[in-house]
Amino acid sequence: MTRPRLRMSRVSKSFAATRALAEVSLEAHGGEVLALIGENGAGKSTLMKILSGAVSPDGGEMELDGRPYAPGGPHAARAAGVAMIYQELNLAPDLTAVENVMLGQEQHRLGIVRRAEQRRRVREALLQLDRPDVPLDVPVGRFSVADQQLVEIARALVIDAKVIVFDEPTSSLTRHDVERLFQVIERLKRSGIAVIYISHFLEEIRRIADRYVVLRDGSAAGSGDLAGTGEAEIVSLMVGRQVSELFPTVPHTPGESILALDGLAGRDAPHDVTFELRRGEIFGVAGLVGSGRTELLRCLLALDPVRSGTVRVHGNIPRATPRARIRAGLGLVSEDRKTEGLAQRESIADNMTYSRLSPFARFGWLNLNRRRNAVLEWMRRLSIKGTGPEQLVEHLSGGNQQKVALARVLHQDADILLLDEPTRGIDVGTKSEVYRLMSALAAEGKAVIFVSSYFTELLAVCDRVAVMARGELREIRPAEQWTNEALLSCALGVDGPTP
Amino acid sequence: MNEVSPDSSFQLVRRGGGFVRSVVGPFAALLLVVGIFTIADNMQEDGGRFLTLRNAQNVLVQSATVGVAALGMTMIIISGGIDLSAGTAIALSATALAWFLREDFSPAVSVAAGLAVGCLAGCVNGLLISLLRIVPFIVTLGTMTIYLGLAKIIGDNTIVRPLPDQVPEWMQELLRPRVEQAWMVFAPGVWLLVALALVTAAVLRYSVFGRHVFAVGSNEATARLCGINVPLTRIAVFSISGLFVGLAGLYQFSRLTVGDPVSGTGKELPIIAAVVIGGGSLNGGRGSILGTLTGALIMQVISSGCTSLRLPNPIQEIIIGGIIIAAVTVDQFRQRRLAA
């Protein structure tokens, strides 16, 4: 085999007491696409941060084209030829394609930008990507997401990248744009660039990548050629155990109706959603990012404005404020723990009790001791690992943070739990605790709406699953009547086989 | 998850240290400043006037107006806001109070009017922020000028001077450094400030409302998610702060015994500085009453110390500016070490 363009050997990194990466090695060759697979929290992003110079490793070595590579920062990494295309694009929306591509590497003479030279280079890069149709002088804010992504890729070409990393590049693309992106990646590959491709979608990986490396709990769990490796094999490498014991359930049977939506519509999404939820039921909502599933939950809690339609809880229509909806028995666990779900710089006790301080209050004054005991009890029941109720949430691991968010809706004694991606970014052990908790709650007679883009967990945990796409609730079926593939093609809005 | 047991003891120590630091920290800075000036003062030939009861009485009285207004500002800053109009609103309240006295209303009515004007000014800030959804900085930048204009209208563009016999005796004694009853040691206005500080600190820590204020400032989205009425909390915070501003107006008036419409211009800056020196974060979610009061005292001690050393005014200003930046730098450094 030829010399790899990138070699990472025994790279390690710890954050405080948490080991994020333990001696991970990988090689990326020119002319191939290497898929980096792993669950959230497996260490993919830390590894890529080390590669891109954003984080420096505690141990290990890296080589780029045979030469030692130890970037001092993102800028040094780019200069050395490592380019990252993140899920969230890094463009200045008011600048044109040319300005964005050349940002930080402007061609100039005595401080005067050489516009013609810049345009020539950008046009060349776009030609190389077979997309000479992209306008050069329009602010990129007016581009589609796909074209913005192309501008990012062009930026990588202009710096003459040796390695390009794509981090979940398709999550906000339409199916047609995904096809075009794959063509672009094929071209990059043929020009001798080493491509590292990170994605949750095994189908996509199978389609575009040549080799794979699976990360699990910060270590390389396995690697090999994709041709001849079964999906089940990769999944078991990812989770590190048999899939069946990953989803512990408590038997539960749906009872009377508790929540009824009739034609619920938000500002942009959802459109006209109608369904009924029963006590003791776990109702799954499958959908890709941007399908309107988060907006559905937010409309239910009246966090987003409701345009039309009604929400009935126990047959009554609560007022459209978060407060009234919480009083009526709804509780939401946000998909975004950092910016919405939790006040990161406040204590566990505060975060757990914000939505219901009344049990500890008399005439508006709190009995902090009584609250502390209640919080300790929740910490024990959900086995939240922390130093105590006063600990700041930001010092907890992702899984424990998620448990604090869950404990809040439990303390609130919500009858209807709206869980938005509750297992995102938490370790496998905590995930199965969350699954067990969900079915235990259903067995107690509570109702759960479980939103996820990881369809396997929906099928394993839910009683019924609905698919959302483009803001519409497309189809509701009992979980056993769905397959992963059927969910995906419904979520992608196609009938035929998926890419 | 197996890192818990070794980590937890470490965390306890760290948290204990943090607690001690958060209480002693601002005090230590105050003691340091007092110590430096005492030494410097005693090295002068005719020194020895700095560390005296007399001077302590002066310093406390001089910092009381800023201190009272800074109680409210602490709440606002914890809730993630800021109030640039506090200075001109103090003058507006003082001017209104003076006008009512001059028009021969009873002192009680006049004081009530002054407090009401302050409260209303704060309430208007809160309403504008909540209803128009404009950031506090911009809203209060606007009302800062509006309140200045209103004060000038009340004062007919000049200073409102009630007659000496229209100003009751107690109002003049409120912040007189030398008290007649020796057992009080410090002026009644100082003791009122201490009492209000205790109440405010208790509200922030032990009341449902206080927890909501922290929640809104720490993460507004989380507060909404938890069903906290964010706009109402904001309006309440600004109204309560307005009440403190009204009281600061009374303090100001009791020292000047006139209502000067322009006397509050620029006053908001030492008020904000007191909160920031005391550990308040302009990002919201952090701040303490004890810290704020210490911050106000530190500034006044520096200014008094510089005077006793016969350092000119500009030097005082430069030192105070440096202290503000230093306080925040130290605080940030501490935060980073805690987070690491």
Side-chain angles (χ1 to χ4, degrees):
Chain A
M1 217 172 197
T2 54
R3 189 175 65 186
R5 298 216 76 167
L6 169 74
R7 171 183 284 144
M8 302 177 87
S9 29
R10 314 225 306 227
V11 173
S12 299
K13 178 73 192 176
S14 296
F15 294 105
T18 316
R19 188 124 208 219
L21 282 177
E23 308 210 335
V24 173
S25 302
L26 64 80
E27 287 180 356
H29 295 265
E32 70 162 20
V33 176
L34 173 71
L36 189 58
I37 311 174
E39 294 192 286
N40 290 318
K44 286 175 301 183
S45 54
T46 308
L47 190 65
M48 289 304 108
K49 276 182 189 158
I50 288 173
L51 179 60
S52 67
V55 166
S56 55
D58 298 338
E61 280 142 31
M62 293 189 280
E63 276 176 18
L64 211 54
D65 280 344
R67 256 170 289 162
Y69 166 70
H75 201 81
R78 285 184 72 82
V82 175
M84 311 286 295
I85 314 290
Y86 288 107
Q87 195 174 351
E88 280 133 36
L89 301 171
N90 270 316
L91 296 173
D94 296 322
L95 299 186
T96 65
V98 173
E99 287 164 333
N100 265 295
V101 170
M102 302 306 291
L103 205 61
Q105 52 220 355
E106 287 84 357
Q107 299 298 307
H108 62 87
R109 180 175 288 147
L110 301 173
I112 312 284
V113 173
R114 297 169 60 191
R115 295 178 55 100
E117 171 67 10
Q118 299 222 66
R119 293 174 65 89
R120 193 187 61 73
R121 288 199 179 207
V122 175
R123 203 175 292 130
E124 209 170 75
L126 289 172
L127 206 62
Q128 202 180 332
L129 297 172
D130 198 22
R131 288 294 307 276
D133 55 305
V134 174
L136 297 181
D137 299 315
V138 176
V140 299
R142 292 193 220 149
F143 285 16
S144 70
V145 178
D147 284 357
Q148 293 187 4
Q149 197 175 46
L150 202 74
V151 172
E152 287 252 25
I153 300 172
R155 193 194 260 179
L157 289 182
V158 165
I159 62 163
D160 210 5
K162 302 182 170 83
V163 179
I164 301 183
V165 179
F166 287 87
D167 188 359
E168 298 278 358
T170 59
S171 54
S172 39
L173 295 187
T174 64
R175 190 153 170 264
H176 172 70
D177 289 331
V178 171
E179 277 311 308
R180 282 173 78 160
L181 175 67
F182 284 177
Q183 287 166 16
V184 166
I185 292 178
E186 283 294 335
R187 284 177 156 263
L188 294 174
K189 186 172 134 180
R190 263 181 273 137
S191 66
I193 292 171
V195 175
I196 298 180
Y197 190 93
I198 303 174
S199 175
H200 277 305
F201 297 109
L202 289 181
E203 298 85 357
E204 258 177 28
I205 286 169
R206 202 159 264 296
R207 163 91 198 282
I208 189 74
D210 304 297
R211 287 192 311 118
Y212 69 88
V213 170
V214 176
L215 287 186
R216 185 179 73 234
D217 297 333
S219 312
S223 61
D225 286 331
L226 271 165
T229 308
E231 209 150 281
E233 198 178 324
I234 293 177
V235 170
S236 66
L237 283 175
M238 282 167 73
V239 300
R241 59 171 122 169
Q242 288 303 310
V243 179
S244 61
E245 49 180 283
L246 192 65
F247 303 104
T249 51
V250 178
H252 53 270
T253 41
E256 88 259 28
S257 164
I258 186 168
L259 174 75
L261 312 192
D262 188 10
L264 185 68
R267 198 167 39 199
D268 299 319
H271 309 302
D272 194 25
V273 169
T274 302
F275 71 88
E276 236 176 76
L277 184 68
R278 305 199 290 166
R279 277 188 182 283
E281 183 180 36
I282 304 177
F283 184 85
V285 177
L288 305 177
V289 173
S291 61
R293 47 196 198 150
T294 296
E295 289 80 358
L296 171 64
L297 297 191
R298 296 180 66 84
C299 280
L300 275 172
L301 204 76
L303 284 171
D304 281 354
V306 174
R307 212 180 49 211
S308 60
T310 56
V311 175
R312 275 173 207 278
V313 186
H314 299 297
N316 306 315
I317 303 178
R319 271 170 17 98
T321 64
R323 193 179 174 77
R325 295 284 161 92
I326 286 172
R327 287 247 167 100
L330 290 156
L332 173 67
V333 172
S334 168
E335 63 173 336
D336 188 345
R337 290 190 291 273
K338 281 230 150 51
T339 63
E340 177 175 55
L342 297 165
Q344 291 281 333
R345 304 190 65 183
E346 299 294 340
S347 67
I348 295 176
D350 274 329
N351 272 291
M352 229 182 248
T353 56
Y354 274 146
S355 56
R356 186 164 162 257
L357 283 165
S358 53
F360 322 115
R362 229 169 142 195
F363 307 116
W365 291 92
L366 289 170
N367 183 333
L368 290 186
N369 236 344
R370 192 139 36 103
R371 183 176 78 157
R372 188 171 197 279
N373 290 333
V375 170
L376 275 173
E377 177 61 19
W378 283 118
M379 288 179 73
R380 193 186 59 73
R381 276 172 61 180
L382 297 188
S383 52
I384 295 172
K385 309 279 176 19
T387 58
E390 297 79 20
Q391 191 179 17
L392 300 190
V393 161
E394 66 180 349
H395 296 142
L396 296 176
S397 72
N400 283 309
Q401 291 193 1
Q402 191 64 4
K403 286 182 184 175
V404 172
L406 282 164
R408 172 159 69 218
V409 288
L410 296 181
H411 167 68
Q412 199 179 304
D413 203 17
D415 288 329
I416 302 157
L417 292 92
L418 314 173
L419 310 182
D420 198 354
E421 295 276 8
T423 60
R424 179 190 283 175
I426 65 182
D427 58 285
V428 178
T430 312
K431 271 186 192 175
S432 60
E433 285 180 60
V434 171
Y435 300 137
R436 194 175 44 75
L437 180 68
M438 281 165 60
S439 66
L441 288 168
E444 277 175 36
K446 299 191 184 282
V448 178
I449 299 183
F450 178 14
V451 163
S452 175
S453 45
Y454 178 37
F455 299 153
T456 312
E457 66 179 7
L458 288 177
L459 294 179
V461 172
C462 297
D463 302 302
R464 284 189 298 160
V465 178
V467 174
M468 274 199 96
R470 291 179 212 291
E472 290 165 24
L473 198 68
R474 286 266 162 92
E475 202 171 344
I476 308 176
R477 289 189 214 163
E480 56 274 13
Q481 290 177 24
W482 282 108
T483 61
N484 235 319
E485 292 70 34
L487 281 175
L488 186 66
S489 51
C490 194
L492 286 169
V494 292
D495 304 317
T498 54
Chain B
M1 286 220 177
N2 46 4
E3 80 271 23
V4 173
S5 40
D7 196 43
S8 58
S9 57
F10 170 63
Q11 285 266 352
L12 273 176
V13 170
R14 210 162 60 173
R15 203 180 63 233
F19 177 75
V20 170
R21 255 197 307 257
S22 71
V23 174
V24 175
F27 262 145
L30 178 61
L31 291 178
L32 186 73
V33 173
V34 171
I36 290 172
F37 279 110
T38 307
I39 293 167
D41 176 57
N42 281 315
M43 275 161 37
Q44 292 186 108
E45 281 181 15
D46 57 344
R49 273 168 301 142
F50 177 73
L51 194 65
T52 57
L53 175 64
R54 211 180 157 74
N55 198 30
Q57 287 170 331
N58 287 339
V59 165
L60 285 172
V61 161
Q62 282 157 358
S63 56
T65 308
V66 164
V68 160
L71 295 181
M73 188 69 82
T74 308
M75 289 180 108
I76 289 179
I77 285 178
I78 290 173
S79 78
I82 193 155
D83 183 5
L84 299 178
S85 72
T88 56
I90 290 174
L92 176 62
S93 303
T95 310
L97 169 58
W99 185 87
F100 273 85
L101 285 173
R102 195 188 63 190
E103 301 300 308
D104 250 347
F105 285 92
S106 78
V109 170
S110 306
V111 168
L115 293 179
V117 165
C119 185
L120 200 65
C123 187
V124 166
N125 283 334
L127 282 170
L128 290 176
I129 290 161
S130 287
L131 299 182
L132 303 182
R133 296 184 191 191
I134 303 177
V135 292
F137 188 95
I138 302 298
V139 166
T140 57
L141 189 64
T143 54
M144 171 170 82
T145 316
I146 293 174
Y147 297 155
L148 177 63
L150 288 176
K152 283 181 176 167
I153 289 175
I154 293 175
D156 209 4
N157 234 338
T158 177
I159 296 171
V160 180
R161 300 177 193 277
L163 298 172
D165 63 334
Q166 284 173 320
V167 182
E169 185 64 19
W170 67 264
M171 223 181 263
Q172 299 177 36
E173 275 174 17
L174 190 62
L175 284 178
R176 190 173 284 162
R178 250 51 74 193
V179 280
E180 292 192 358
Q181 298 85 354
W183 56 267
M184 278 186 86
V185 186
F186 299 115
V190 172
W191 290 116
L192 181 60
L193 168 59
V194 170
L196 287 173
L198 287 174
V199 172
T200 313
V203 165
L204 280 173
R205 182 161 168 73
Y206 294 107
S207 78
V208 173
F209 173 68
R211 295 334 290 173
H212 286 182
V213 173
F214 273 97
V216 168
S218 204
N219 189 339
E220 188 181 332
T222 309
R224 243 167 80 72
L225 183 74
C226 293
I228 294 170
N229 192 332
V230 176
L232 196 66
T233 308
R234 282 247 157 78
I235 293 168
V237 164
F238 272 91
S239 301
I240 294 170
S241 172
L243 210 51
F244 283 117
V245 161
L247 192 61
L250 170 65
Y251 276 28
Q252 168 128 319
F253 175 80
S254 86
R255 285 180 55 77
L256 304 176
T257 64
V258 295
D260 182 353
V262 300
S263 62
T265 314
K267 255 261 155 71
E268 64 280 355
L269 298 178
I271 296 169
I272 294 168
V275 179
V276 170
I277 292 174
S281 162
L282 294 187
N283 294 326
R286 288 186 55 239
S288 84
I289 293 295
L290 184 69
T292 296
L293 289 185
T294 320
L297 275 178
I298 287 176
M299 285 190 290
Q300 196 58 49
V301 165
I302 290 173
S303 136
S304 152
C306 289
T307 309
S308 77
L309 294 181
R310 298 194 185 80
L311 291 175
N313 234 6
I315 302 291
Q316 295 180 19
E317 283 155 358
I318 290 169
I319 292 179
I320 290 178
I323 290 281
I324 294 172
I325 295 171
V328 175
T329 310
V330 168
D331 198 53
Q332 260 180 13
F333 179 71
R334 221 171 57 192
Q335 291 299 320
R336 225 172 290 150
R337 236 186 19 187
L338 273 179

